[in-house]
């Protein structure tokens, strides 16, 4: 064959194959178009798309909690959880991040809505959603309402570890949409403690979003046990010093604010105090500052009966406990005509539960608070903290005696002056830093920090301290340094001794 | 007549076929090239919402691209770090690992081991190495060169990347100063970007950025940043925050200067050296005017915009984060800087012509550029905003805190031009939310608090107050609203609002 012709044939073969390859490529590209270009920021600003993307992130995460934009609230559940293992039970959530079915906002016409507001007890730690008090109460109300044809719903608005500030902020800032006919708020003794924020994998953090500048200085009655490993809880709940009292005062202010707003809307409000052996304290510091009919006390006999606990070591209510409280609330609603739109039939079982739990509770709360025989000392040696000494620390002092950006402790008032002995940390980056020293609400002086330099200062007690049996000694600092393996513990100076002398 | 099978005819036919096939190949190649290179329009919201399948795909991709790697830090000034001990987590196209501290870095020894020279690279996503492998970051290159080119030094050189995406000045400086004596750096090279004066977002419970700042928790979801008009209002232009022309921007720069001065002082007191690298692209003159001129000039380095804007150093056409080449170029420049300024006297690294050239090309050129005319662009800023009629131009005047419905967040801020104005006028309406009755809203112009509103559900709001005399000299003013209380709105009730703003104006 002619060599030129042979070459032409080879070229034709090559070109044919190239054409076929290109044609196949075109067919592939047409069948597999480029993915649409995403402007993630813009698309995520769209509520529906954001919600859908968030749902996928929730699926991929392993823990329960999400941060709330409102620092007073701190945390809610991750939205739209679907049967996620929680503490001892499965947890689902609605789009708001509440353990509740989706409910309409604003409230539809013809609906009677009871809001149950609180923390882990309302959330239903350890029980199924259908075992919770609201489920029982809704059933009771629906079954025994005469001549009511509308929708009646009980809504659980509660997140574990919410304190009163978080609960009130959350309910108050959605009140017009929530539009409750009745709010029943359940308070427990740790409602005056700091409430923890959330970490990036959905479990509680070691900081409060309500007090972000205090870093990891969480104040609560369990602090001595949690941080110092001692056996005795702290005195915060007793309200015997400024730290505890001021928290109760703030709580009362928040509760009054919420109750006032509800009253102006024509809605009813009740506060159920589940304070077990601290019922008289609850009345003294909370109940007696509210209208007499507002506060309901649950008797200690009920609160301390393990028959109503989820386990021998966990006093959250089990299904029966929730049922008993629902009966109490049913009778309360009937007795006080809290849902006037509904004609409710009195129930003997509810009346009996009310007598056994609420009336007994009121009698118990009306007595004088029985203060235990405390061993509260006028001085604390931080190197030698036994159970009773550690119990005097409300928070902010670690086992090495290092003080956090906020620290608070109770001392017996047995003198004229406050003496503070310690040492600046070997951290020059804090040089010149100042620490405010407070006795109760009064700033009595300040410490100036120098790395490694001893601190030995004494301040006269303010006149307001006279005649008070116990005083709160508090330290506040705007600056701090990191210590610890992960550098996530914030400290200011080393405290060795603090004393009212 | 020739036989049709004549070789010449067959050759001619073959040539025609070759020509035809060549043309077909070229055409097919053209089509293929078009299909490969054609621009893909962004997904429109209308298309997404109308197509459940497409929506599903997009939400999956959004979730995949933002799968959480972040954790909250106990220090609210820092806000967020990485989740500790991540192992090769796929994140936005690269693998991300973290150490026990939540940094994208190998484990760091405390205290610093003897005979170690430690360089800390402090910053945000650029130092973190957004979009590149960990081993392609500037510190890796710099560390290797310093070790290799310091023949008289027998110890260890460490270059540590201390940077988290979106950290601002406050987060960066807090994180470093509060562990300074533990880190004990010989040199801190602080890489700053124009968004360092903006609010830094905290973390949600599944490790993605939140819509609030832990530094300003009382402001709820009122995040202030130059991307606000684009991000929230959906309008294409950026805000004016970074220009520092009004109280909001200039105030943030002033606060940054105070923090930077303290950081430089603390580093010097600990025996280290400090350099601030301002990578401000076309804001170089602004960075000098608001930051550089208040600091020790020897401590400030400006990267030329010819480097910053060169797309060969970018990770993609639209993303100016440095790619490997960009990190290499920066590392070379820093090497040159360390040699020229004698920043690591224990090492005394050898001079290196390439690094000296990079220093000249990036830093010396950058300084000349920064010191040139402080050319502000022609800013089209009006003295009046009608919230119902926001176009891109008007939206760019809002620094943050106003949503597309004109609802004002617990903190809101916007810039207005002041052309001889004497009064501030604000019109709005309280929300139909009685739970806010009695709440107070402070109205400020720059730092002057001019009025306090008390809210009553549904009632009109009218403010008409004189401007302070000192405001007359300022061509632009920030109008700001601050409230301590708010209510929730939106589908998930996680948008916090205070009142509805209709109009705000500086009037004569």
């Amino acid at each position: 064959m002619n060599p030129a012709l042979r070459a032409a044939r080879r070229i034709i073969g090559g070109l044919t194959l190239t054409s076929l390859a290109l044609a196949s490529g075109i067919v592939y590209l047409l069948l597999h178009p480029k993915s649409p270009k995403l402007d993630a920021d813009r698309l995520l600003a769209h509520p529906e798309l954001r919600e859908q993307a968030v749902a996928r992130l929730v699926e991929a995460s392993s823990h329960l909690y999400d941060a709330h934009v409102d620092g007073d609230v701190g945390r809610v559940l991750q939205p739209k959880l679907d049967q996620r293992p929680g503490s001892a039970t499965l947890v689902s959530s609605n789009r708001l991040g509440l353990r509740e079915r989706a409910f309409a906002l604003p409230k539809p016409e013809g609906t009677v809505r009871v809001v149950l507001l609180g923390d882990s007890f309302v959330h239903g730690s350890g029980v199924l959603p259908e075992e919770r008090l609201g489920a029982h109460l809704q059933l009771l109300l629906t079954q025994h309402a005469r001549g009511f044809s509308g929708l009646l719903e009980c809504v659980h608005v509660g997140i574990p570890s919410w304190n009163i500030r978080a609960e009130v902020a959350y309910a108050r800032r959605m009140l017009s949409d929530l539009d409750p006919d009745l709010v029943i708020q359940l308070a427990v003794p740790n409602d005056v403690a700091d409430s923890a924020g959330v970490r990036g994998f959905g479990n509680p953090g070691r900081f409060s979003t309500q007090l972000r500048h205090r870093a990891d200085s969480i104040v609560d009655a369990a602090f001595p046990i949690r941080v110092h490993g001692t056996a005795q809880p702290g005195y915060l709940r007793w309200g015997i010093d400024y730290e505890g009292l001021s928290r109760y005062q703030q709580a009362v202010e928040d509760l009054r604010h919420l109750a006032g707003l509800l009253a102006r809307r024509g809605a009813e409000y009740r506060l159920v105090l589940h304070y077990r052996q601290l019922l008289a304290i609850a009345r003294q510091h909370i109940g007696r500052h509210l209208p007499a009919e507002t506060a309901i006390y649950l008797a200690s006999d009920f609160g301390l009966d393990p028959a109503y606990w989820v386990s021998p070591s966990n006093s959250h209510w089990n299904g029966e406990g929730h049922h008993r409280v629902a009966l109490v609330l049913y009778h309360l609603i009937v007795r006080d005509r809290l849902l006037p739109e509904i004609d409710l039939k009195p129930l003997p079982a509810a009346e009996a539960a009310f007598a056994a739990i609420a009336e007994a509770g009121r009698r118990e709360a009306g007595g004088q608070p029985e203060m235990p025989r405390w061993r509260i000392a006028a001085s604390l040696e931080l190197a030698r903290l036994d159970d009773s000494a550690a119990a005097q620390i409300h928070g902010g002092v670690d086992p090495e005696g290092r003080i956090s950006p906020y620290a608070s402790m109770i001392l017996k008032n047995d003198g004229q002056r406050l003496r503070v002995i310690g040492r600046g940390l070997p951290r020059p980056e804090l040089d010149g830093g100042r620490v405010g020293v407070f006795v109760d609400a009064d700033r009595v002086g300040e410490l100036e920090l120098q790395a490694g330099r001893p601190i030995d200062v004494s301040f006269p007690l303010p006149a307001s301290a006279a005649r008070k049996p116990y005083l709160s000694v508090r330290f506040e600092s705007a600056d701090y340094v990191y210590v610890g393996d992960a550098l996530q513990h914030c400290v200011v100076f080393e405290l060795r001794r603090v004393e009212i002398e | 007549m020739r036989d049709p099978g004549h070789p010449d005819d067959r050759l001619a036919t073959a040539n025609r076929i070759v020509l035809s096939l060549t043309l077909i190949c070229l055409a097919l190649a053209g089509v293929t090239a078009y299909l490969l290179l054609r621009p893909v329009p962004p997904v429109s919201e209308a298309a997404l919402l109308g197509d459940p399948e497409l929506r599903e795909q997009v939400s999956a991709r959004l979730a995949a691209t933002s799968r959480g790697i972040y954790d909250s830090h106990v220090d609210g000034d820092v806000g967020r770090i990485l989740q500790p001990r991540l192992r090769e987590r796929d994140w936005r196209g690269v693998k991300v690992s973290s150490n026990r501290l939540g940094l994208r870095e190998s484990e760091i020894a405390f205290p610093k081991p003897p005979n170690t020279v430690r360089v800390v690279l402090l910053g945000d996503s650029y130092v973190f190495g957004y979009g590149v492998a960990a081993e392609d970051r500037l510190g890796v290159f710099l560390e290797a060169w310093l070790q290799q080119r310091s023949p008289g030094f027998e110890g260890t050189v460490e270059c540590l990347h201390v940077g988290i995406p979106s950290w601002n000045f406050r987060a960066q400086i807090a994180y470093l100063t509060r562990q300074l004596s533990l880190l004990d750096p010989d040199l801190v090279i602080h890489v700053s970007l124009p968004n360092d004066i903006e609010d830094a977002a905290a973390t949600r419970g599944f490790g993605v950025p939140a819509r609030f700042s832990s530094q300003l928790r009382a402001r709820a979801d009122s995040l202030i940043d130059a991307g606000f008009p684009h991000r929230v209002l959906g309008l294409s232009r950026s805000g004016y925050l970074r220009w520092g022309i009004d109280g909001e921007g200039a105030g943030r720069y002033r606060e940054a200067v105070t923090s930077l001065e303290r950081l430089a002082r603390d580093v010097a007191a600990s025996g280290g050296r400090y350099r601030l690298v301002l990578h401000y692209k076309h804001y170089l003159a602004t960075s000098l005017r608001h930051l550089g001129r208040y600091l020790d000039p020897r401590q400030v380095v400006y990267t030329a915009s010819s480097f910053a804007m060169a797309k060969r150093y970018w990770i993609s056409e639209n993303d100016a984060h440095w790619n490997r080449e960009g990190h290499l170029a920066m590392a070379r420049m820093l090497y040159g800087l360390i040699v020229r300024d004698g920043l690591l006297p224990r090492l005394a690294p050898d001079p290196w012509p390439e690094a000296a050239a990079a220093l000249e090309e990036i830093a010396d050129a950058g300084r000349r550029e920064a010191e040139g005319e402080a050319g502000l662009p022609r800013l089209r800023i009006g003295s009046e905003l009608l919230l119902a009629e926001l176009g891109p131009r008007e939206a760019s005047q809002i620094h943050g805190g106003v949503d597309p419905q004109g609802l004002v967040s617990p903190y809101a801020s916007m810039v207005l031009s002041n052309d001889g104005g004497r009064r501030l006028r604000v019109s709005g309406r309280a929300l139909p939310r009685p739970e806010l009755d009695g709440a107070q809203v402070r109205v400020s112009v720059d730092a002057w608090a001019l009025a306090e509103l008390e809210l009553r559900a549904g009632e009109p709001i009218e403010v008409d107050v004189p401007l302070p005399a000192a405001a007359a000299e300022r061509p632009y003013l920030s109008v700001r609203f601050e409230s301590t209380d708010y209510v929730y709105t939106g589908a998930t009730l996680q948008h916090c609002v205070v009142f509805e703003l209709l109009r705000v104006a500086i009037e004569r």
Side-chain angles (χ1 to χ4, degrees), chain B residues 58-110:
Chain B
V58 169
S59 73
R61 285 178 59 196
L62 287 173
T65 55
S66 51
R67 189 183 164 207
I69 58 168
Y70 296 112
D71 192 8
S72 48
H73 195 279
V74 291
D75 184 351
D77 289 334
V78 171
R80 67 177 148 115
I81 48 172
L82 301 183
Q83 292 172 13
R85 298 193 171 99
L86 290 173
R87 288 289 167 263
E88 300 281 298
R89 173 76 65 87
D90 285 313
W91 188 73
R92 302 196 172 187
V94 293
K95 304 275 186 197
V96 172
S97 298
S98 64
N99 62 15
R100 73 184 193 284
L101 306 181
L103 294 174
R104 193 185 186 197
E105 188 48 87
S106 51
E107 290 300 342
I108 301 170
F110 297 127

Side-chain angles (χ1 to χ4, degrees), chain A residues 165-360:
Chain A
R165 180 167 162 191
E167 293 162 13
V168 169
Y170 192 74
R172 191 169 64 75
R173 290 177 174 144
M174 63 193 282
L175 202 56
S176 290
D177 285 340
L178 195 58
D179 193 14
D181 297 274
L182 166 64
V183 171
I184 296 173
Q185 185 169 7
L186 181 82
V188 293
N190 68 359
D191 281 348
V192 292
D194 290 344
S195 179
V198 68
R199 293 193 62 174
F201 23 84
N203 52 357
R206 286 185 299 131
F207 57 86
S208 163
T209 58
Q210 296 167 346
L211 301 157
R212 204 62 173 87
H213 58 285
R214 292 184 181 177
D216 58 333
S217 325
I218 295 262
V219 168
D220 61 54
F223 179 85
I225 301 165
R226 185 166 47 80
V227 174
H228 290 270
T230 49
Q232 186 182 332
Y235 297 100
L236 195 70
R237 300 167 179 184
W238 294 95
I240 53 175
D241 66 339
Y242 170 82
E243 186 69 51
L245 281 171
S246 61
R247 287 165 181 261
Y248 278 117
Q249 281 159 7
Q250 181 62 52
V252 166
E253 203 173 299
D254 289 339
L255 295 169
R256 280 177 167 166
H257 192 175
L258 178 61
L261 284 172
L262 288 165
R264 283 207 291 282
R265 301 181 64 82
E268 295 284 353
Y269 173 76
R270 290 294 183 270
L271 176 68
V272 177
L273 293 152
H274 182 50
Y275 269 61
R276 291 179 278 190
Q277 287 156 313
L278 297 171
L279 274 185
I281 296 291
R283 191 190 67 83
Q284 183 179 346
H285 295 305
I286 298 177
R288 75 185 175 98
H289 301 287
L290 302 172
E293 72 280 4
T294 299
I296 312 299
Y297 304 88
L298 302 185
S300 298
D301 282 349
F302 166 72
L304 294 170
D305 188 344
Y308 302 119
W309 294 5
V310 293
S311 77
S313 58
N314 184 346
S315 62
H316 284 99
W317 299 321
N318 59 17
E320 186 51 30
H322 278 274
H323 184 232
R324 293 281 289 163
V325 178
L327 286 169
V328 170
L329 297 181
Y330 180 87
H331 184 74
L332 178 72
I333 291 168
V334 172
R335 188 195 72 175
D336 291 0
R337 294 191 52 74
L338 296 178
L339 296 173
E341 311 87 326
I342 308 175
D343 180 17
L344 289 165
K345 191 170 96 179
L347 288 180
E351 195 173 349
F354 190 85
I357 297 175
E359 287 177 5

Side-chain angles (χ1 to χ4, degrees), chain A residues 477-496:
Chain A
S477 171
D479 206 0
Y480 41 86
V481 291
Y482 309 144
V483 296
D485 187 51
L487 294 188
Q488 290 232 33
H489 177 31
C490 300
V491 295
V492 183
F493 72 98
E494 183 190 343
L495 181 67
R496 294 189 170 174

Side-chain angles (χ1 to χ4, degrees), chain A residues 56 66 70 176 199 480, chain B residues 56 71 75 204 435 486:
Chain A
R56 288 176 178 275
D66 192 10
D70 184 351
S176 290
R199 293 193 62 174
Y480 41 86
Chain B
E56 190 67 15
D71 192 8
D75 184 351
R204 290 191 65 173
E435 55 265 45
Y486 42 86

Side-chain angles (χ1 to χ4, degrees), chain A residues 48-249:
Chain A
E48 279 184 50
L49 294 172
R50 185 179 175 85
E51 203 176 319
Q52 218 166 336
V54 163
R56 288 176 178 275
L57 291 170
V58 168
E59 277 171 33
S61 68
S62 53
H63 293 275
L64 291 180
Y65 296 107
D66 192 10
H68 195 279
V69 292
D70 184 351
D72 289 334
V73 170
R75 66 179 151 117
V76 287
L77 299 179
Q78 292 179 15
K80 295 184 176 169
L81 290 172
D82 184 15
Q83 300 285 87
R84 176 72 57 82
S87 58
T89 186
L90 298 175
V91 174
S92 298
S93 65
N94 62 15
R95 72 181 196 283
L96 306 182
L98 295 174
R99 192 185 187 199
E100 186 53 271
R101 66 193 181 285
F103 54 88
L105 294 172
K107 185 182 76 175
E109 276 293 306
T111 298
V112 169
R113 179 172 283 171
V114 178
V115 167
L116 301 158
L117 180 63
D119 65 354
S120 50
F121 281 84
V122 168
H123 167 88
S125 286
V127 295
L128 298 170
E130 59 271 24
E131 293 179 299
R132 295 181 298 174
L133 69 132
H136 295 297
L137 183 60
Q138 181 168 315
L139 191 62
L140 287 167
L141 292 171
T142 308
Q143 282 175 344
H144 302 292
R146 294 181 286 213
F148 178 72
S149 58
L151 177 67
L152 200 153
E153 60 183 16
C154 292
V155 177
H156 300 84
V157 179
I159 298 290
S161 295
W162 264 4
N163 56 17
I164 283 177
R165 180 167 162 191
E167 293 162 13
V168 169
Y170 192 74
R172 191 169 64 75
R173 290 177 174 144
M174 63 193 282
L175 202 56
S176 290
D177 285 340
L178 195 58
D179 193 14
D181 297 274
L182 166 64
V183 171
I184 296 173
Q185 185 169 7
L186 181 82
V188 293
N190 68 359
D191 281 348
V192 292
D194 290 344
S195 179
V198 68
R199 293 193 62 174
F201 23 84
N203 52 357
R206 286 185 299 131
F207 57 86
S208 163
T209 58
Q210 296 167 346
L211 301 157
R212 204 62 173 87
H213 58 285
R214 292 184 181 177
D216 58 333
S217 325
I218 295 262
V219 168
D220 61 54
F223 179 85
I225 301 165
R226 185 166 47 80
V227 174
H228 290 270
T230 49
Q232 186 182 332
Y235 297 100
L236 195 70
R237 300 167 179 184
W238 294 95
I240 53 175
D241 66 339
Y242 170 82
E243 186 69 51
L245 281 171
S246 61
R247 287 165 181 261
Y248 278 117
Q249 281 159 7

Side-chain angles (χ1 to χ4, degrees), chain B residues 211-230:
Chain B
R211 288 184 296 139
F212 59 83
S213 163
S214 60
Q215 296 167 348
L216 300 157
R217 206 60 175 87
R219 294 183 180 178
D221 59 332
S222 325
L223 283 182
I224 301 286
D225 60 71
F228 181 86
H230 171 68

